[in-house]
Amino acid sequence: MKKTIELIVPCYNEENCIQAFYNSVREVFKKLYKYDFIITFVDDGSKDNTLNIIKEVAGTATKGRVQYIALSRNFGKESAIYAGLSKSRGDYVALMDADLQHPPELIIKMLDAIENEGYDRATARRISRTGEPMIRSLFSRAFYHIINHVTVIDLVPGSTDYCLMKRNVVEAILSVTERERFTKGIYAWVGYKNKWIEYENVERVAGKTKWNFMGLFRYAYSGFIAFATTPLRGVVYLGLLITIAAFIYAANIWISTMQNPYAPRNGYASIMIIMLFLGGVIITTLGMIGEYLARIYMEVKNRPIYFERESNIIKEKKDLCTEDEKLKR
Ligand code: UDP
Ligand code: MG
């Protein structure tokens, strides 16, 4: 039986991309005729015609080749990826965006790395950021710098979610069941031998990005909280530092009182400054602890990561490449 490569494609309002995506993938798999391929579109609660177009494409393709899972609402890309992975059966599984910003032909190099060079997964890495606003690139660089310094994970700048992995890596990722999913961090955390496949940035084929600056900031922030506990330790150090500063200040007052007991002192101003400073420190620290507490709260609720509204996935695995399909190629 042929090995199957399954592509998991999260889609949110991508009605103008689906057909182009399918056509490009089909072209690539003409070269990879020794493999079967399945595309699993995960419709992440799209408000446009995405699901109907996926169904149309599924209707024209070989039976079972184009699968879909429609989620009950928009859960976000990370949950959509989890939904796709948890339903996947392919021997190799790839994660790809629907907008063709992840060039499908890279699959060939990725497959080569896994099959011939002994890697467990291959991940695409953008080496240019053309077409991206300056502020986004700057922010992104700063994010990688900070997260790599304060967490156990090592994220590579320009790394994307686009990857091809062996079944065991998929199982490892699925075993990480946290709700607030920062996929890039989870990939890095599970480990395994990864090969970086570099490529030049590509612009979307149609539609527009779902990310604005604030959205990206929230994503980065939540990724940071998910993997770093350093801020909590930082709070302890800050507390110690303030205590030491208080002792030095007390010693300073004591010495100057000894030297001149009648020296005029502005007691009101210094007390106000210290009170405001400490008030600020205490509230910030509580807020920081609150962030982690909120995470614990969300995680202990143990809510499902997604709900499926409908799907056309058939359970049994079979060779999809029928004789007439071979002729069509
Ligand atoms: N996406 C999703 N759910 C969301 C937002 C995005 O499934 O809530 C999908 C989207 O359809 C696309 C991929 O995630 O296939 C990447 O999104 P986008 O192209 O907007 O991000 P960018 O490439 O600009 O980082
Ligand atoms: Mg995109």
Side-chain angles (χ1 to χ4, degrees), residues 240-258:
L240 282 175
L241 208 70
I242 292 173
T243 313
I244 293 168
F247 273 113
I248 294 172
Y249 188 57
N252 185 25
I253 293 177
W254 185 71
I255 291 166
S256 64
T257 312
M258 288 313 236

Side-chain angles (χ1 to χ4, degrees), residues 10-12 14 44 74 76-77 80 97-99 101 136 204 208-211:
C11 308
Y12 179 55
E14 301 286 9
D44 188 17
N74 179 239
K77 182 183 175 184
D97 286 359
D99 55 9
Q101 280 194 294
R136 185 166 163 176
R204 283 183 150 259
K208 54 180 193 301
T209 175
K210 313 302 172 310
W211 295 96

Side-chain angles (χ1 to χ4, degrees), residues 21 71 80 87 105 108 138 145-146 296 302 306 329:
F21 175 86
L71 306 188
K87 297 281 166 168
E105 54 281 5
I108 299 172
L138 269 177
H145 187 76
I146 297 170
I296 299 169
N302 210 18
Y306 69 95
R329 283 175 168 160

